[in-house]
Amino acid sequence: MSDAKKLFIKTYGCQMNVYDSERMAESLGGSGYTQVATADEADLILLNTCHIREKAAEKVYSELGRMKPLKDARPDLKIGVAGCVAQAEGAEILRRQPIVDLVVGPQSYHRLPEMEARIQTGKTALDTDFPAETKFDQLGKRPTAARAPSAFMTVQEGCDKFCTFCVVPYTRGSEVSRPVDRLLTEARDLVARGVREITLLGQNVNAYHGTGPDGREWGLAQLIRALAEIDGLARLRYTTSHPNDMEDDLIAAHGDCPELMPYLHLPVQSGSDRVLKAMNRNHTAEGYLRLIERIRAVRPDLLLSGDFIVGFPGETDAEFDATMDLVRTVGYGQAYSFKYSPRPGTPAAERTPVPEAVATDRLHRLQALLSEQQYAAQDAMIGREVGVLFEKIGRMEGQLIGKSDHLHSVHAVADPALIGQVVPVRIDASARNSLSGTVLKP
Ligand code: SAH
Ligand code: SF4
Ligand code: F3S
């Protein structure tokens, strides 16, 4: 038996949870933990959870149920719940599932080392504070070991928008932006570890307004331009953005900042003005379409992605058709669509739901249209030369897998020495969820 304690983290939900899981593992590294790939070999299991829809939240309890035999067999095993379900349900988790030792919210996980020490004494630990000190100031130095070429970096967290269907303002708290100098340092350190692409994360990333080195408030475009200056950082992306925060300089950056990749995730949720209003989205369908036109004017090959909710309370057939029309007008290269899920504590959950069968039918129709658009966008890449950042060895002999500028997964026969480089690739074929191509001489 080695002395190193073993940590297994399972991550649900959005990219911010992926980033948080990495930071939690790093912070527990100081308590002697190394990360392992399966629950069976772990001394501490952390579930980093998502509360966005009922199904996502319920998954946590079924996973905990599956872990009960593990805990019965090894009473020393510790189990923790982190993330948005931890924030939303707090002590209720400890009541409902006694195998849980620790519950930590997304804003207090810098306190994990103390919490871990506490549970080793046989007590439980619960922390769902929104502390005044931000976790980013408290978390220790990040490791320096080499890492994969693409990384997430949280620049903004929380949301003040209060869409009537959404739990995020309650689970993540109000908007906080990290200062520019901290982000530049973190990005430089990531690049020194082999990172070539950084995706800037925020629940409303384009509402970013961090303190700049000049003491003024910087917007996302300013931050992107400063990050783009870092030697060795080839690509920048950001997600998720809100249509009402697409300011002029950010739109301009899509046209004149070559490091900013031609991909934009810009959720609209619905194409009906009445539904948008009931959702508290604060813009119209027309306003969204005008915005897309302005961004495409500076970056015509931009690949657009979006999020949609069908079956919002009160949504009529005609209102759903307005969503279908908007999708036809925009033409998405990629999209996520969901059946409305009532969330406890949100205003929309008080309203009369659309019958389940109606919502299901709408979801199928919307998804069929979105898939058609996705495949058309993929097919349009055939014959084109694209930049691909190779990330890892593929499943087939001799193949590498990477991401194109437009965020398509691309595989090609290539020398493993090309991992971590952006390489020109000619796209030859399109499959369901990926493209394949031929590496061109750089
Ligand atoms: N901040 C992002 C979205 C975060 S949540 C934004 O403003 O666009 C990711 C997506 O989950 C949302 O865009 C929405 O489409 C979906 N979603 C959020 N709450 C939901 C709910 N109650 N039911 C169904 N889908 C939901
Ligand atoms: Fe949720 Fe709306 Fe905030 Fe997005 S903008 S996180 S959908 S409340
Ligand atoms: Fe889910 Fe929380 Fe992200 S609810 S989508 S993990 S912000």
Side-chain angles (χ1 to χ4, degrees), residues 52 158-169 203-204 240 242 269 279-281:
I52 201 80
C159 179
D160 297 337
K161 297 252 182 332
F162 291 94
C163 300
T164 55
F165 52 81
C166 183
V167 293
V168 171
Q203 265 88 36
N204 270 292
T240 301
H242 192 288
Q269 317 298 353
M279 288 176 163
N280 192 31
R281 291 291 291 185

Coordinates of all heavy atoms in Angstrom, one line a residue, residues 52 158-169 203-204 240 242 269 279-281, ligand 2:
I52 N -29.2 21.9 -13.1 CA -29.9 22.7 -14.1 C -31.3 22.1 -14.5 O -32.2 22.9 -14.7 CB -29.0 22.9 -15.4 CG1 -29.5 24.1 -16.2 CG2 -28.9 21.7 -16.3 CD1 -29.0 25.4 -15.6
G158 N -21.1 33.2 -11.9 CA -22.4 33.7 -11.3 C -23.2 34.5 -12.4 O -22.8 34.7 -13.5
C159 N -24.5 34.7 -12.0 CA -25.4 35.4 -12.9 C -26.4 36.2 -12.2 O -26.9 35.9 -11.2 CB -26.1 34.3 -13.7 SG -27.3 34.9 -14.9
D160 N -26.6 37.4 -12.8 CA -27.6 38.4 -12.2 C -28.8 38.5 -13.1 O -29.6 39.4 -13.0 CB -26.9 39.8 -12.1 CG -25.8 39.8 -11.2 OD1 -25.7 38.9 -10.3 OD2 -24.9 40.7 -11.3
K161 N -28.9 37.6 -14.1 CA -30.0 37.8 -15.1 C -31.3 37.2 -14.7 O -32.4 37.7 -15.1 CB -29.6 37.2 -16.4 CG -28.3 37.8 -17.1 CD -28.7 38.6 -18.3 CE -27.6 39.2 -19.0 NZ -26.4 39.6 -18.3
F162 N -31.3 36.2 -13.9 CA -32.6 35.6 -13.4 C -33.6 35.3 -14.5 O -34.8 35.8 -14.4 CB -33.2 36.5 -12.3 CG -32.4 36.6 -11.0 CD1 -31.4 37.5 -10.8 CD2 -32.6 35.6 -10.1 CE1 -30.7 37.5 -9.7 CE2 -31.8 35.6 -8.9 CZ -30.8 36.6 -8.7
C163 N -33.2 34.5 -15.4 CA -34.2 34.0 -16.4 C -35.2 33.1 -15.5 O -34.7 32.5 -14.5 CB -33.5 33.1 -17.4 SG -32.3 34.0 -18.4
T164 N -36.5 33.2 -15.8 CA -37.4 32.6 -14.9 C -37.4 31.1 -14.7 O -38.0 30.6 -13.9 CB -38.9 33.1 -15.3 OG1 -39.1 32.7 -16.6 CG2 -39.0 34.6 -15.2
F165 N -36.7 30.4 -15.6 CA -36.6 29.0 -15.6 C -35.3 28.5 -14.9 O -35.2 27.3 -14.7 CB -36.6 28.4 -17.0 CG -35.6 29.0 -17.9 CD1 -34.3 28.6 -17.9 CD2 -35.9 30.0 -18.8 CE1 -33.3 29.2 -18.7 CE2 -35.0 30.6 -19.6 CZ -33.7 30.2 -19.6
C166 N -34.4 29.3 -14.5 CA -33.0 28.9 -14.3 C -32.6 29.0 -12.9 O -32.8 29.9 -12.1 CB -32.1 29.8 -15.2 SG -30.4 29.3 -15.1
V167 N -31.8 27.9 -12.4 CA -31.3 27.9 -11.0 C -30.0 28.5 -10.9 O -29.5 28.7 -9.7 CB -31.2 26.4 -10.6 CG1 -32.5 25.7 -10.4 CG2 -30.3 25.6 -11.5
V168 N -29.3 28.8 -12.0 CA -27.9 29.2 -11.8 C -27.7 30.5 -10.9 O -26.7 30.5 -10.1 CB -27.3 29.4 -13.2 CG1 -25.9 30.1 -13.2 CG2 -27.2 28.1 -14.0
P169 N -28.5 31.5 -11.0 CA -28.3 32.6 -10.1 C -28.3 32.2 -8.7 O -27.7 32.9 -7.8 CB -29.4 33.6 -10.5 CG -29.8 33.2 -11.9 CD -29.6 31.7 -12.0
Q203 N -20.7 32.0 -16.5 CA -22.1 31.7 -16.8 C -22.7 32.8 -17.7 O -23.6 32.6 -18.5 CB -22.9 31.7 -15.5 CG -23.1 30.4 -14.9 CD -21.9 30.0 -14.0 OE1 -21.4 30.8 -13.3 NE2 -21.6 28.7 -14.0
N204 N -22.1 34.0 -17.6 CA -22.4 35.1 -18.6 C -21.0 35.7 -18.9 O -20.7 36.8 -18.5 CB -23.2 36.1 -17.9 CG -24.6 35.8 -18.1 OD1 -25.2 35.9 -19.2 ND2 -25.3 35.5 -17.0
T240 N -20.3 30.8 -21.6 CA -21.4 31.0 -22.5 C -21.8 32.5 -22.5 O -21.7 33.1 -21.4 CB -22.7 30.2 -21.9 OG1 -22.4 28.9 -21.8 CG2 -23.9 30.4 -22.8
H242 N -24.4 35.8 -23.3 CA -25.8 36.2 -23.4 C -25.9 37.3 -24.5 O -25.1 38.2 -24.6 CB -26.2 36.8 -22.0 CG -27.7 37.0 -21.9 ND1 -28.3 38.0 -22.5 CD2 -28.6 36.3 -21.2 CE1 -29.6 37.9 -22.2 NE2 -29.8 36.8 -21.4
Q269 N -32.9 30.4 -26.6 CA -33.9 29.7 -25.9 C -35.2 29.6 -26.6 O -35.8 28.5 -26.6 CB -34.2 30.3 -24.5 CG -33.0 30.7 -23.7 CD -32.1 29.6 -23.3 OE1 -32.4 28.4 -23.5 NE2 -30.9 29.9 -22.7
M279 N -39.8 34.4 -20.1 CA -38.5 33.9 -19.6 C -37.6 34.9 -19.0 O -36.6 34.6 -18.5 CB -37.7 33.2 -20.8 CG -38.3 31.9 -21.3 SD -37.3 31.4 -22.7 CE -37.8 29.7 -22.9
N280 N -38.0 36.2 -19.2 CA -37.2 37.3 -18.7 C -35.8 37.4 -19.4 O -34.8 37.6 -18.8 CB -36.9 37.2 -17.2 CG -36.3 38.5 -16.6 OD1 -36.6 39.6 -17.1 ND2 -35.5 38.4 -15.6
R281 N -35.8 37.1 -20.7 CA -34.6 37.1 -21.5 C -34.2 38.6 -21.9 O -33.1 38.8 -22.3 CB -34.7 36.2 -22.7 CG -34.7 34.8 -22.4 CD -33.4 34.2 -21.8 NE -32.3 34.2 -22.8 CZ -31.1 33.7 -22.5 NH1 -30.9 33.1 -21.3 NH2 -30.2 33.7 -23.4
Ligands
SF4_2 FE1 -29.5 31.0 -16.3 FE2 -30.4 33.1 -17.7 FE3 -28.3 33.4 -16.1 FE4 -28.1 32.0 -18.3 S1 -28.5 34.2 -18.2 S2 -27.3 31.4 -16.3 S3 -30.1 31.0 -18.5 S4 -30.4 33.0 -15.5

